[in-house]
Amino acid sequence: MATKIVLKSGKEQSIRRYHPWIFSGAIKMIYGVPLEGDIVTVFDNNDDFLAVGHYQPGSIAVRILSFEDIEPDIEFFRSRIKNAIEFRRSLGLIDNKSVNVFRLIHAEGDNLPGLIADFYNGVIVMQMHSVGMYRIRKEITEILAELMGKSITAIYDKSESTIPFKAGIDAKNEFLFGDSGPVVVTENGFKFKIDWTTGQKTGFFIDQRENRKLLNDFTKGRSVLNMFGYTGGFSVYAMKDAGLVHSVDSSASATALADENVILNFGEDSRHRSFQVDAFEFMNDIRNKYDLIILDPPAFAKHNNVLGNALQGYKRLNMKAIEQIKPGGIIFTFSCSQVVTRENFRKSVFAAAANTGRNVRILHQMSQPPDHPVNIYHPESEYLKGLVLYVE
Ligand code: SAH
């Protein structure tokens, strides 16, 4: 029998609107002592059934798997995973020659909270964010191997750093199926080397695929500055027809990867140069040097309590770009902080523009691609937002 959890009166409201998280502060009573990752059933204060999910001691106490009174057995997970795969197939992402890098399972966005799986040209890299998912990683691997069949050669579990409350679990990064060294993937015809063992997240920022494609509408003949460039995703696209491309990142391994990826696509090309330096320092003196600037910083706020600082950070960064870009310049500016809403981000950029006094227009509003779907009941799933600005 699953452990029963009863919520405080009123705290059931968000759950009745299908929000998939129960915060520890909403809990009135836990009957028994559930272990990390146990399946628990959740009731309202009148003992009416609400949901079933994975338990986790911490701020998010339950990640809801179903709002129906069912037993989430392996068949349940198989069916959810199958849905996720079929959805990618319907998007044309599976067996696609020009894009073989995409997100296969996007946690809450695929009704599988705690589970991320990315596809890199035949290798799946998984990251579990809950002990509940981690505990069934072998079963998930078997399901993925069975459903993906010949499309995959290996499945790697990279949960060591994402599993909370590690005590007693001793998660380690390892292959759970097959084996593979780094692979080269193709994204919209461009090539990238992916090394999931050393890279950030699962190895690549797949979520920028559509925005990188949009970039090519603006790159022709321009002088491009790619701030926070990481693997050089935006730089490689820009190299297609830009006059000059500079990639900036504070990490030496990131600038090395950006160089490697540019060479992979264009050979040695003097139009590209990487700089390993702090972004704010680099941007102290770039007046009239660039007419296309990409600002894709790491999440400035991981928690609500530092939201104010994060918004100041976005304002400061955007101000540096807006005040110094050449007249007629284009800025691609992003925020990937979950706690920063689209409105808040836009206000920060507005404040930055207003401080410079320059005439700024919004040409595009950007988001995450459909393989990172937003669960409408879970606004936090919409983490990536961006603006394309025209600065007169
Ligand atoms: N635009 C990239 C993803 C950027 S991730 C892409 O499309 O793949 C954020 C990057 O910012 C990381 O590579 C990190 O090393 C770098 N970074 C973090 N803080 C920085 C700083 N203060 N100055 C420069 N780079 C920084």
Side-chain angles (χ1 to χ4, degrees), residues 200 204-208 212 226-234 248-251 254 277-280 294-300 334 336:
Q200 301 176 37
F204 194 57
F205 284 69
I206 303 175
D207 52 6
Q208 290 285 21
R212 291 196 269 252
N226 182 15
M227 298 300 304
F228 310 93
Y230 187 36
T231 54
F234 285 101
V248 174
D249 201 291
S250 54
S251 140
V277 55
D278 177 78
F280 287 91
I294 299 126
L295 302 173
D296 185 23
F300 281 166
F334 297 96
C336 61

Side-chain angles (χ1 to χ4, degrees), residues 53-334:
H54 278 143
Y55 177 74
Q56 188 88 52
S59 155
I60 304 172
V62 183
R63 287 180 164 80
I64 292 174
L65 294 162
S66 177
F67 296 94
E68 285 170 43
D69 194 358
I70 50 111
E71 179 85 15
D73 56 9
I74 291 308
E75 278 317 305
F76 166 88
F77 287 101
R78 181 194 307 277
S79 146
R80 288 270 163 103
I81 291 171
K82 190 161 183 242
N83 277 346
I85 295 173
E86 287 314 311
F87 176 58
R88 275 44 179 201
R89 199 181 300 284
S90 75
L91 293 173
L93 286 170
I94 294 183
D95 298 329
N96 179 327
K97 288 234 158 23
S98 67
V99 178
N100 59 23
V101 47
F102 58 88
R103 178 150 289 186
L104 193 59
I105 300 173
H106 186 53
E108 284 82 1
D110 283 295
N111 295 317
L112 286 164
L115 179 62
I116 295 286
D118 289 335
F119 180 93
Y120 293 117
N121 191 10
V123 178
I124 293 175
V125 182
M126 301 193 290
Q127 268 187 338
M128 322 275 178
H129 292 260
S130 74
V131 174
M133 287 294 183
Y134 188 74
R135 276 210 215 153
I136 55 167
R137 67 196 182 283
K138 299 221 159 93
E139 288 83 352
I140 292 171
T141 303
E142 274 170 29
I143 294 169
L144 281 170
E146 176 205 319
L147 295 176
M148 293 297 285
K150 287 204 184 73
S151 316
I152 62 161
T153 54
I155 301 178
Y156 186 73
D157 175 18
K158 195 185 177 184
S159 302
E160 201 174 294
S161 58
T162 55
I163 287 289
F165 297 92
K166 273 193 225 160
I169 289 169
D170 198 22
K172 58 177 187 299
N173 296 338
E174 59 183 346
F175 279 101
L176 296 177
F177 171 83
D179 193 5
S180 170
V183 295
V184 172
V185 298
T186 304
E187 188 189 83
N188 293 319
F190 296 105
K191 296 201 180 325
F192 294 95
K193 184 182 156 196
I194 310 292
D195 187 346
W196 44 85
T197 55
T198 55
Q200 301 176 37
K201 298 217 282 189
T202 65
F204 194 57
F205 284 69
I206 303 175
D207 52 6
Q208 290 285 21
R209 182 178 61 245
E210 302 290 334
N211 304 327
R212 291 196 269 252
K213 196 170 170 187
L214 179 65
L215 183 80
N216 272 144
D217 285 359
F218 301 94
T219 42
K220 195 156 190 219
R222 290 202 192 249
S223 298
V224 178
L225 172 60
N226 182 15
M227 298 300 304
F228 310 93
Y230 187 36
T231 54
F234 285 101
S235 301
V236 166
Y237 279 64
M239 283 294 286
K240 180 180 168 216
D241 54 9
L244 164 159
V245 179
H246 287 170
S247 307
V248 174
D249 201 291
S250 54
S251 140
S253 57
T255 52
L257 256 176
D259 288 337
E260 198 176 338
N261 283 326
V262 168
I263 291 171
L264 189 61
N265 289 274
F266 300 95
E268 293 285 352
D269 191 323
S270 59
R271 288 177 304 145
H272 180 255
R273 213 179 135 190
S274 279
F275 299 84
Q276 188 217 331
V277 55
D278 177 78
F280 287 91
E281 196 183 315
F282 188 91
M283 292 182 80
N284 273 338
D285 180 23
I286 54 164
R287 193 166 297 280
N288 288 329
K289 284 191 183 152
Y290 302 99
D291 52 10
L292 203 177
I293 299 178
I294 299 126
L295 302 173
D296 185 23
F300 281 166
K302 294 236 156 85
H303 297 286
N304 249 320
N305 51 5
V306 288
L307 179 63
N309 290 346
L311 294 178
Q312 278 303 316
Y314 289 119
K315 181 181 158 193
R316 222 155 52 87
L317 185 67
N318 282 279
M319 221 177 99
K320 280 179 183 285
I322 296 170
E323 72 187 348
Q324 297 181 85
I325 196 165
K326 278 190 199 166
I330 298 284
I331 299 176
F332 273 60
T333 181
F334 297 96

Side-chain angles (χ1 to χ4, degrees), residues 7-18:
L7 300 190
K8 292 176 187 160
S9 177
K11 294 294 183 187
E12 74 288 349
Q13 286 179 11
S14 68
I15 311 307
R16 293 224 185 273
R17 289 195 300 270
Y18 307 110

